[in-house]
Amino acid sequence: MGRVIRSQRKGAGGIFRSHTTKRKGKAVFRPYDYSEKCGYTKGIVKKIIHDPGRGAPLAIVQFKNMYKYKKFFSTFIATEGMYTGQYIYCGKQARLMIGNIIPLHSVPEGTICCNVEARQGDRGKFGRTSGNHVTVINQLKNGKTRIRLPSGSKKIVSSNCRGMIGVVAGGNRIDKPLLKAGRAFFKYKAKRNCWPVVRGVAMNPVEHPHGGGNHQHIGHSSTVRRDAPPGRKVGLIGARRTGRLRGGKKKNEIKINEL
């Protein structure tokens, strides 16, 4: 019997758990309340901070409590063009400006948003990483809105879901190459234990299904069935097709645009 392979060890957690000690907290919208549902509420950006392990900066926004004489702070994902001292308006009657949080039914078609909710009140799920955005395609009749996700796929969500106007800050982050192993080391040190990655063909047969042999080769098909046992489940799992996507790009784009 072989050893417990890396993918099995990752499932248990242990040394592979995320490094969350120095992170700044959840970056979510303020709770969905009456003021946002029927009007708007105003906040001010107090500071823009770095969150370890996250590519996008965060904005600390101060709001007044609607029911008590006190203030509270919300942590938002910062959009491109946001600055300290900026006023942020959240709600149905807020204007269409960078950084404002508006329900999708009040957003014109073709608007670029980020941190869009999947369900009303879940405080943001789609388009959260640096440089990403969600595009509002069109408003449907049954209180739904069709949006285009950063992957290019389309999704229909409730028109009451909120979104922040603009593109997530920190775009073009991956355009600059890391160049050396030291930078990669510190990049992933803030995230979790997922670097460096040793290839399966470079291992011994006891450590990986692709290991062993006089030359570094898999020796059998890289596809594996969906119900394979955990020690065997490496490679292209439950693949419907393999190889490069070749040809038919223009036809595919025409079909997507027709939807």
Side-chain angles (χ1 to χ4, degrees), residues 2 11 34 40 43 74 79 84 126 132 154 164 166 177 181 214 221 224 242 255:
Y34 182 80
Y40 70 90
S74 290
T79 56
T84 53
F126 301 130
N132 270 359
K154 295 179 181 178
M164 181 181 273
N214 285 340
S221 173
V224 63
T242 60
K255 286 179 182 177

Side-chain angles (χ1 to χ4, degrees), residues 56-73:
L58 298 181
I60 306 297
V61 184
Q62 178 185 289
F63 290 96
K64 288 183 179 177
N65 192 300
M66 293 290 118
Y67 307 104
K68 295 180 181 177
Y69 182 69
K70 63 179 182 179
K71 297 171 183 177
F72 68 95
F73 293 92

Side-chain angles (χ1 to χ4, degrees), residues 17-198:
R17 275 199 283 263
S18 298
H19 302 160
T20 57
T21 310
K22 295 185 179 179
R23 297 196 183 172
K24 306 300 180 184
K26 291 181 74 173
V28 291
F29 292 153
R30 61 191 299 282
Y32 195 45
D33 57 7
Y34 182 80
S35 61
E36 279 198 49
K37 207 174 287 184
C38 299
Y40 70 90
T41 183
K42 185 175 80 169
I44 185 169
V45 179
K46 285 295 184 181
K47 55 183 176 178
I48 293 173
I49 58 172
H50 169 67
D51 188 18
R54 188 194 296 267
L58 298 181
I60 306 297
V61 184
Q62 178 185 289
F63 290 96
K64 288 183 179 177
N65 192 300
M66 293 290 118
Y67 307 104
K68 295 180 181 177
Y69 182 69
K70 63 179 182 179
K71 297 171 183 177
F72 68 95
F73 293 92
S74 290
T75 306
F76 291 167
I77 295 171
T79 56
E80 216 165 271
M82 194 178 276
Y83 55 90
T84 53
Q86 177 184 350
Y87 287 112
I88 299 292
Y89 296 89
C90 307
K92 179 183 174 182
Q93 295 179 6
R95 291 174 60 192
L96 194 73
M97 293 182 71
I98 296 290
N100 287 357
I101 297 167
I102 307 175
L104 294 180
H105 62 72
S106 301
V107 174
E109 295 176 3
T111 305
I112 286 172
C113 308
C114 62
N115 200 15
V116 176
E117 293 179 329
R119 293 181 180 83
Q120 182 182 354
D122 70 9
R123 304 170 78 181
K125 294 292 184 226
F126 301 130
R128 294 167 56 90
T129 57
S130 55
N132 270 359
H133 65 273
V134 171
T135 308
V136 176
I137 299 172
N138 59 348
Q139 305 286 354
L140 305 177
K141 293 180 180 178
N142 53 353
K144 303 283 185 182
T145 303
R146 184 182 280 121
I147 59 174
R148 181 181 286 113
L149 302 180
S151 63
S153 63
K154 295 179 181 178
K155 190 172 181 67
I156 294 172
V157 296
S158 170
S159 297
N160 293 322
C161 292
R162 297 173 290 173
M164 181 181 273
I165 306 300
V167 180
V168 181
N172 301 327
R173 176 173 51 87
I174 56 174
D175 287 357
K176 182 184 177 184
L178 293 173
L179 289 178
K180 56 180 189 175
R183 287 179 188 157
F185 173 83
F186 288 110
K187 175 185 176 180
Y188 291 104
K189 184 184 179 184
K191 292 176 180 287
R192 67 200 68 81
N193 177 16
C194 60
W195 184 90
V197 180
V198 179

